[in-house]
Amino acid sequence: MSTHPAVEAIDLAKHFGDNRAVDGVSFVVPTGSVLGLLGPNGAGKTTLVRMLTTLSVPTSGTGRVAGFDVREQPDAVRRSIGLTGQAATVDEILTGRENLRLIGSLYGLSRGYVRRASDDLLERFDLARAADRPAKSYSGGMRRRLDLAVSLLAAPPILFLDEPTTGLDPQSRSGLWDVLRELVQEGTTLVLTTQYLEEADHLADEIVVVDRGRVIAAGTPTQLKDRAGQASVVVTLTHAADLDAAAALMRDHSPAVHVETGSRRLTAQAGGLGDMTRIAAVFEHSGIELDDLGLARPSLDDVFLHLTGHRAESDTDTAATNTPEGAAS
Ligand SMILES: Nc1ncnc2c1ncn2[C@@H]1O[C@H](COP(=O)(O)OP(=O)(O)OP(=O)(O)O)[C@@H](O)[C@H]1O
Ligand SMILES: [Mg+2]
């Protein structure tokens, strides 16, 4: 096992004239883990990835990938990584298989290896049936998958993905998430950028939130959500007529009970699952019927609002609301 982290950014900066696109960013990505770089348009995500993949020279600071310095050992860095950029780079005229073959020869991989690896990748990315059709006939999702397959051809231990699922429909997106999870299970280290809170939440072990070239927060998805506020127990009654009685019952167990006027919902501040089960037990023999009872934590969108004062881009309306994480009745 290697002792160095897979990726390290130490006070990395990139200035374009007066524009401090990246302004002193540090993070560490342990081998085998997934880092999500989360931030809105223009935050500096692509610039960070370009520096770490040797495509752009840092103005200051240090980047290390697989233990190699991006400035001093760019060739060694390149041999350790795969990169799927923000824009699709497949050659439209070539077929899927030919795209793989082309990259294989550019990398100097043996033909036999490329043939076997291509079959495997085309199968894994659900492109086997389309493998011999020109890529111009592919859908957006298929192009994204081919892009990813190409970047995996040399079996790199560290993979950089710049907004891998932007522009994909929800089904292709979750298909790609499955593939990425498999890669991680096999030991690949992932650094991915995204504007989608949901994506970071699904995939990342650790999230670094960047805004205007700086890190504004970092932590696990749960840690970030905890910072945005407390969890609450949300109770939905079957009959609105029970609201007052239910509120009285809950006030014995939580200091802050909020009744949503005009609805059948009550929320109580909670420390966690224990509070939820206590409140569930109180209703058990109360004669009050419940439609639902669950624990709601702040979403990453709440986190973003909390940190930046503005909402992040979000792909679904539900990403902006609290998600109940447990239910009992
Ligand atoms: N080659 C360049 N020359 C000048 N300015 C640049 C260059 N590349 C990026 N920038 C600027 O750096 C800042 C960060 O851009 P970057 O592309 O890294 O953001 P991003 O987080 O990837 O955004 P998006 O989500 O839109 O892809 C922006 O203000 C951008 O205009
Ligand atoms: Mg970008």
Side-chain angles (χ1 to χ4, degrees):
M1 277 303 284
S2 49
T3 49
H4 49 75
V7 180
E8 247 179 314
I10 304 160
D11 213 16
L12 264 186
K14 180 81 187 181
H15 299 171
F16 298 105
D18 289 343
N19 183 357
R20 300 176 170 220
V22 174
D23 199 16
V25 167
S26 302
F27 55 77
V28 174
V29 189
T31 299
S33 73
V34 181
L35 177 79
L37 285 171
L38 177 68
N41 283 128
K45 304 181 297 294
T46 297
T47 307
L48 267 168
V49 167
R50 286 177 57 84
M51 286 191 280
L52 290 169
T53 54
T54 76
L55 297 176
S56 169
V57 179
T59 306
S60 61
T62 308
R64 271 192 220 107
V65 175
F68 304 113
D69 189 294
V70 293
R71 225 191 293 243
E72 273 147 36
Q73 299 153 291
D75 293 336
V77 170
R78 281 183 213 135
R79 278 194 296 273
S80 313
I81 61 170
L83 166 66
T84 300
Q86 196 164 354
T89 52
V90 299
D91 188 323
E92 304 248 306
I93 297 172
L94 301 181
T95 67
R97 197 186 303 279
E98 286 165 348
N99 266 286
L100 285 159
R101 199 180 299 150
L102 174 70
I103 296 298
S105 61
L106 289 178
Y107 272 111
L109 303 169
S110 82
R111 274 193 218 170
Y113 169 82
V114 171
R115 206 177 309 121
R116 281 192 307 277
S118 298
D119 283 344
D120 182 46
L121 287 164
L122 289 163
E123 189 67 45
R124 164 181 282 201
F125 287 90
D126 203 17
L127 291 168
R129 277 190 308 138
D132 298 308
R133 269 177 22 209
K136 63 169 174 285
S137 70
Y138 286 13
S139 70
M142 290 163 81
R143 278 168 210 229
R144 251 4 229 163
R145 297 204 299 275
L146 180 58
D147 245 351
L148 199 55
V150 165
S151 63
L152 288 174
L153 190 62
I158 302 167
L159 194 57
F160 289 86
L161 305 171
D162 197 3
E163 302 203 20
T165 67
T166 294
L168 297 190
D169 59 65
Q171 200 185 338
S172 316
R173 176 173 296 163
S174 72
L176 202 54
W177 288 350
D178 289 342
V179 176
L180 294 178
R181 275 196 212 96
E182 259 178 54
L183 287 173
V184 173
Q185 264 165 24
E186 291 161 13
T188 306
T189 304
L190 275 190
V191 176
L192 66 99
T193 76
T194 185
Q195 302 188 33
Y196 299 134
L197 306 159
E198 201 194 344
E199 183 154 283
D201 200 5
H202 268 79
L203 291 175
D205 298 308
E206 192 82 21
I207 295 175
V208 169
V209 186
V210 286
D211 195 23
R212 299 185 185 99
R214 291 182 156 272
V215 175
I216 54 170
T220 65
T222 311
Q223 280 169 345
L224 289 180
K225 288 179 208 171
D226 283 349
R227 280 177 57 175
Q230 272 195 310
S232 52
V233 176
V234 182
V235 174
T236 308
L237 305 175
T238 310
H239 310 290
D242 292 332
L243 266 178
D244 288 342
L249 266 183
M250 284 168 72
R251 286 205 173 95
D252 290 340
H253 295 270
S254 171
V257 176
H258 174 71
V259 181
E260 287 180 29
T261 41
S263 81
R264 294 177 285 120
R265 271 160 54 112
L266 300 104
T267 53
Q269 220 177 66
L273 279 177
D275 286 336
M276 187 186 86
T277 41
R278 256 191 300 286
I279 289 175
V282 166
F283 279 102
E284 191 106 316
H285 304 291
S286 66
I288 296 174
E289 272 182 75
L290 302 186
D291 273 359
D292 195 39
L293 187 150
L295 190 68
R297 293 184 193 280
S299 70
L300 275 180
D301 204 52
D302 298 328
V303 175
F304 211 84
L305 182 65
H306 179 76
L307 291 169
T308 64
H310 58 84
R311 290 234 174 251
E313 305 274 320
S314 123
D315 48 335
T316 58
D317 291 333
T318 50
T321 59
N322 289 343
T323 335
E325 291 191 359
S329 53

